[in-house]
């Protein structure tokens, strides 16, 4: 982060204070800087001469549950907005939250994500179980509001937010403001919810609006590049990692961040704004009998239909809200019946895209504007960062599997993956931002051992982890589990791992290549094979990390871990042992 501070002589700070401020600002993430800016604004506005602890001054608790960090960032944003209004808030993460505190809350604002098929974030599981247990207290003294984050492409959209909202009401709490369920393009919906909730709380707590100081920009405003304003990163390298003959196509991409001021840590994520493929746009336009030159209204401005489909709208993935909007235009009995049967709708959506929907259920006299009004905004794609900034200054690396498949008579391809794999030329630029993931981080103590489990492209963050551990001279042991299809063609970053094994940075590595023998072998089988050693590492204080597919791999790895622990301490205690690992942040997952 590059923030220009005034010279010491032009500030009321002494030399020591000025040096401290420079060091602090240089180490801050964008979210941290935004929080401090808002917090200091609130302190000044309230003429506070001392800074008591957050718990002492807070009228409002922001309770946050996050898997990848988006909910954390929104909680920080809300804290900053509240401080600007003179409202005193404290952020509490669900994983660290003391459950008996719930009955003492007065104003509770819940920001929580849902991932996979309706799953709560890992750090929210204990609180969710408590809320739905017989031990949950009466909450008649609590006022609350819930903001849910999710992806409408999944069946159980924002389920965790819905569950919190319903359960808090059932326990007697009073709703401050209706729940809002945010899709992947959550910014405007989240900000509207925040402002509405804070306005209501300001009235209830009789807090008068604070006059904003417009004489100088806030710290947050100096941070030019963000999710809302992505940085055009120049593509430096695009290397296919798979060998000849592989059925997979995995790309290693290196992008320049020079001049952006963007910083990241291992475990963070790179957000990429792709555009839709021209051949996909052309096929959709032809099916709809549009030319692409029609004028439509987009964000209050006129523009060409083709341009909107190219860079603004999701035109492949079908979501239930999209089908519902389209069905109102179609007035088609079969489509209405499909919407009314959840199982049949799920079967229909699997492997199909928007072009199939408009082909199967055409709308007479459909206008371009009416069609795009059914679509959702094209969301950014998130990729685990595969590099350490200490090893690659002003660069960020990602590992991307190009998605291509055939279904229902058509060839399909992933929007983001093929955008990166085949459509960015040499020195071309890619709109990117950093998504800070506070829930997937290396241990602060460099002597702590770590165990990393990442098959396929799940290897990406562990390349960053090992690079970082080498750069800082960490003395802790490093154990890596990797799996893919074939040793000869799919051993991603093989020469790097061999170098790390040779120089001792990587203590041990176990690999599983599922298709190299008749009996398929996966990473969970390797875990079981080395269960005693794995448990011994955990007893030494090792941190365990898992990255990759949530539906199958992460579930199977979790079950393998439970069995390993059960073999050592008994099945009755295994669940608690693993849950305590998660609570202590020694078992972290980056799953998708």
């Amino acid at each position: 982060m590059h923030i220009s501070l005034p010279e010491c002589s032009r500030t009321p700070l002494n030399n020591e204070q000025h040096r401290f401020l420079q060091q602090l600002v240089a180490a801050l993430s964008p979210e941290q800087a935004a929080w401090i800016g808002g917090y200091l604004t609130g302190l000044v506005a309230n003429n506070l001469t001392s800074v008591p602890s957050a718990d002492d001054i807070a009228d409002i608790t922001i309770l946050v549950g996050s898997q990848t960090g988006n909910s954390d960032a929104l909680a920080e944003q809300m804290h900053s907005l509240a401080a600007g209004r003179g409202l005193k808030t404290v952020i509490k993460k669900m994983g660290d939250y003391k459950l008996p505190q719930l009955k003492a809350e007065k104003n509770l604002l819940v920001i929580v994500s849902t991932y996979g098929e309706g799953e709560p974030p890992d750090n929210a599981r204990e609180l969710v179980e408590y809320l739905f247990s017989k031990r949950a207290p009466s909450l008649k003294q609590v006022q609350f509001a819930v903001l849910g984050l999710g992806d409408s492409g999944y069946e159980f959209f924002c389920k965790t937010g819905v569950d919190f909202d319903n359960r808090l009401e059932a326990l007697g709490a009073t709703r401050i403001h209706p729940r809002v369920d945010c899709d992947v393009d959550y910014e405007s919906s989240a900000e509207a919810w925040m402002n509405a909730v804070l306005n209501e709380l300001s009235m209830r707590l009789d807090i008068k609006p604070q006059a904003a100081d417009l004489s100088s920009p806030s710290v947050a405003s100096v941070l030019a590049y963000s999710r809302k304003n992505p940085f055009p990163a120049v593509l430096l390298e695009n290397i296919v990692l798979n060998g000849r003959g592989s059925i997979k196509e995995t790309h290693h991409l290196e992008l320049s961040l020079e001049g952006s001021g963007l910083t990241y840590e291992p475990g963070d994520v790179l957000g990429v704004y792709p555009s839709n493929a021209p051949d996909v746009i052309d096929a959709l336009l032809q099916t709809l009998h549009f030319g692409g030159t029609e004028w439509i209204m987009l964000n209050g401005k006129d523009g060409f239909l083709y341009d909107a489909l190219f860079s603004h709208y999701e035109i492949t993935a079908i979501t239930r809200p999209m089908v519902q909007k389209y069905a109102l235009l179609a007035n088609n009995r079969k489509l209405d019946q499909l919407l009314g049967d959840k199982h049949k709708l799920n079967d229909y959506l699997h492997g199909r895209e928007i072009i199939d929907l408009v082909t199967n259920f055409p709308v007479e006299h459909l206008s371009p504007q009416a069609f795009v009004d059914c679509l959702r905004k094209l969301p950014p794609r998130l990729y685990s960062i595969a590099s350490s900034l200490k090893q690659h200054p002003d660069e960020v690396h990602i590992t991307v599997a190009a998605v291509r498949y055939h279904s229902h008579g058509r060839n399909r391809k992933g929007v983001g993956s093929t955008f990166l794999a085949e459509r960015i030329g040499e020195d071309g630029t890619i709109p990117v931002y950093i998504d800070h993931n506070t829930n997937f981080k290396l241990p602060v103590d460099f002597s702590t051992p770590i165990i990393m489990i990442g098959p396929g492209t799940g290897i990406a963050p562990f390349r960053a982890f090992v690079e970082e551990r080498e750069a800082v001279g960490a003395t802790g042991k490093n154990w890596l589990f990797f799996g893919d299809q074939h040793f000869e063609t799919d051993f991603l970053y093989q020469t790097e791992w061999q170098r790390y094994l040779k120089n001792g940075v990587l203590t041990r590595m176990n690999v599983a290549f599922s298709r190299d023998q008749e009996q398929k072998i996966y990473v969970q089988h390797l875990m079981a094979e080395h269960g005693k050693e794995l448990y011994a590492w955990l007893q030494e204080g090792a941190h365990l990390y898992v990255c990759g597919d949530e539906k199958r791999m992460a579930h199977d790895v979790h079950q393998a871990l439970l069995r390993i622990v059960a073999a050592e301490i008994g099945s009755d205690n295994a669940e608690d042992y693993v849950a305590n690992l998660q609570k202590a942040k020694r078992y972290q997952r980056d799953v998708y």
Side-chain angles (χ1 to χ4, degrees):
M1 177 189 304
H2 302 294
I3 297 177
S4 178
L5 293 174
E7 296 175 4
C8 183
S9 60
R10 290 159 48 199
T11 76
L13 305 177
N14 61 36
N15 288 335
E16 185 178 351
Q17 290 171 327
H18 191 260
R19 280 196 301 272
F20 174 77
L21 180 61
Q22 285 179 314
Q23 291 170 353
L24 174 64
V25 169
L28 293 175
S29 70
E31 287 79 9
Q32 291 168 330
W35 182 89
I36 287 177
Y39 183 64
L40 293 177
T41 299
L43 290 178
V44 173
N46 284 286
N47 295 314
L48 295 176
T49 56
S50 62
V51 185
S53 72
D55 288 313
D56 291 335
I57 67 172
D59 295 318
I60 303 160
T61 295
I62 303 172
L63 188 57
V64 58
S66 182
Q67 188 71 28
T68 62
N70 288 336
S71 295
D72 289 325
L74 289 176
E76 296 286 356
Q77 183 181 347
M78 188 159 204
H79 179 86
S80 178
L81 290 172
R85 286 170 163 80
L87 292 166
K88 303 166 187 176
T89 63
V90 60
I91 297 173
K92 295 185 179 179
K93 296 190 177 185
M94 292 183 182
D96 302 326
Y97 189 68
K98 294 178 175 60
L99 301 178
Q101 177 67 25
L102 194 61
K103 62 184 179 184
E105 299 291 357
K106 297 175 184 176
N107 301 293
L108 185 66
L109 308 181
V110 177
I111 302 177
V112 65
S113 63
T114 300
Y115 77 97
E117 297 301 331
E119 296 294 320
D122 287 343
N123 66 359
R125 289 179 183 275
E126 186 179 13
L127 179 57
V128 170
E129 290 173 4
Y130 176 73
L131 269 180
F132 283 87
S133 74
K134 293 179 180 179
R135 295 185 294 122
S138 169
L139 300 178
K140 290 182 179 178
Q141 82 291 351
V142 177
Q143 300 184 109
F144 78 96
V146 175
L147 180 71
L149 272 67
D151 183 342
S152 61
Y154 289 90
E155 179 180 356
F156 300 103
F157 174 54
C158 286
K159 182 179 183 298
T160 307
V162 173
D163 289 346
F164 265 96
D165 192 54
N166 292 338
R167 185 58 175 164
L168 290 172
E169 182 181 43
L171 292 171
T174 303
R175 192 176 283 104
I176 298 168
H177 186 77
R179 184 191 75 250
V180 168
D181 298 331
C182 295
D183 207 344
V184 286
D185 53 333
Y186 57 79
E187 293 92 343
S188 58
S189 299
E191 287 179 11
W193 178 85
M194 290 180 195
N195 286 317
V197 169
L198 293 174
N199 288 342
E200 180 65 28
L201 283 170
S202 295
M203 289 190 292
R204 295 189 185 198
L205 297 173
D206 196 25
I207 303 293
K208 294 179 181 179
Q210 303 293 322
D213 179 9
L214 302 178
S215 60
S216 60
S218 69
V219 175
S221 69
V222 185
L223 306 170
Y225 295 109
S226 63
R227 180 182 169 107
K228 286 186 176 180
N229 180 32
F231 173 70
V234 174
L235 177 64
L236 302 174
E237 291 279 358
N238 183 350
I239 303 166
V240 177
L241 296 175
N242 302 97
R244 187 174 298 175
S246 175
I247 65 169
K248 293 191 169 188
E249 182 190 334
T250 310
H251 291 250
H252 170 79
L253 294 105
E254 301 181 359
L255 290 75
S256 172
L257 296 179
E258 187 173 359
S260 69
L262 293 173
T263 62
Y264 62 86
E265 295 177 348
D268 287 342
V269 172
L270 187 72
V272 173
Y273 282 98
S275 57
N276 288 303
D279 61 318
V280 174
I281 300 171
D282 291 342
L284 182 60
L285 288 172
Q286 186 176 356
T287 302
L288 292 166
H289 306 293
F290 296 154
T293 56
E294 297 87 347
W295 285 92
I296 62 161
M297 185 68 69
L298 175 63
N299 295 334
K301 297 179 181 178
D302 287 335
F304 286 121
L305 173 62
Y306 188 96
D307 294 339
L309 297 181
F310 180 72
S311 60
H312 188 80
Y313 288 113
E314 176 83 76
I315 65 168
T316 52
I318 313 178
T319 65
R320 286 165 184 77
M322 185 271 158
V323 178
Q324 290 167 346
K325 291 177 184 178
Y326 185 78
L328 295 176
L329 301 174
N331 194 24
N332 184 295
R333 185 180 174 186
K334 286 186 177 180
L335 181 54
D336 292 338
Q337 289 175 338
L338 194 61
L339 269 172
D341 188 321
K342 184 174 74 172
H343 298 296
K344 287 184 178 178
L345 180 60
N346 287 341
D347 289 342
Y348 178 81
L349 295 181
H350 184 70
R352 287 189 172 89
E353 296 179 343
I354 289 174
I355 192 170
D356 301 292
L357 181 70
V358 299
T359 299
N360 299 150
F361 306 101
V363 176
E364 257 188 273
H365 310 299
L366 177 66
S367 72
Q369 186 68 57
F371 173 67
V372 298
D373 287 345
C374 295
L375 306 178
R376 73 173 180 179
K377 186 178 177 182
L378 182 63
R381 270 49 178 179
L382 302 179
Y383 298 96
S384 299
I385 291 175
S387 54
S388 163
L389 200 56
K390 292 182 177 66
Q391 297 266 24
H392 307 280
D394 289 327
E395 290 184 16
V396 62
H397 303 173
I398 54 176
T399 311
V400 179
V403 176
R404 308 178 201 277
Y405 60 99
H406 187 86
S407 69
H408 302 288
R410 295 180 187 273
N411 291 322
R412 321 280 182 171
K413 56 186 177 182
V415 176
S417 63
T418 57
F419 165 77
L420 291 168
E422 66 185 32
R423 289 175 42 217
I424 306 298
E426 189 176 347
D427 295 330
T429 60
I430 301 169
V432 303
Y433 65 94
I434 302 297
D435 211 356
H436 297 282
N437 185 358
T438 59
N439 300 308
F440 200 73
K441 283 287 172 280
L442 280 166
V444 176
D445 184 348
F446 295 159
S447 67
T448 302
I450 63 172
I451 303 167
M452 302 162 283
I453 303 168
T457 55
I459 198 68
F462 303 134
R463 181 177 185 265
F465 276 24
V466 175
E467 284 191 349
E468 183 82 359
R469 300 269 277 190
E470 180 184 47
V472 301
T475 57
K477 298 183 294 183
N478 305 306
W479 186 356
L480 177 63
F481 289 87
F482 172 72
D484 215 311
Q485 290 191 353
H486 298 286
F487 172 82
E488 290 290 337
T489 59
D490 305 317
F491 197 163
L492 308 183
Y493 302 111
Q494 179 183 0
T495 56
E496 294 185 22
W497 303 130
Q498 289 174 332
R499 177 172 64 84
Y500 286 131
L501 285 167
K502 187 175 181 180
N503 65 19
V505 173
L506 195 56
T507 310
R508 61 186 296 179
M509 182 175 189
N510 291 97
V511 294
F513 294 99
S514 59
R515 310 298 170 86
D516 279 350
Q517 61 284 311
E518 188 175 341
Q519 186 77 20
K520 291 182 179 177
I521 300 175
Y522 298 110
V523 287
Q524 62 267 25
H525 299 134
L526 296 179
M527 291 172 62
E529 183 181 341
H530 301 282
K532 280 194 174 296
E533 299 101 311
L534 195 150
Y535 179 75
W537 277 51
L538 292 175
Q539 288 296 95
E540 291 174 27
H543 288 215
L544 178 68
Y545 300 90
V546 180
C547 181
D549 171 58
E550 188 270 333
K551 282 186 181 178
R552 293 183 295 271
M553 184 280 298
H555 174 269
D556 292 341
V557 164
H558 185 80
Q559 294 304 312
L561 178 61
L562 286 172
R563 288 192 293 271
I564 288 168
V565 174
E568 300 297 326
I569 64 173
S571 56
D572 291 343
N573 300 314
E575 293 262 5
D576 286 343
Y577 184 95
V578 173
N580 287 332
L581 285 178
Q582 288 183 307
K583 194 168 185 178
K585 299 179 182 176
R586 289 179 51 207
Y587 174 25
Q588 300 180 30
R589 307 194 306 165
D590 178 10
V591 295
Y592 38 85

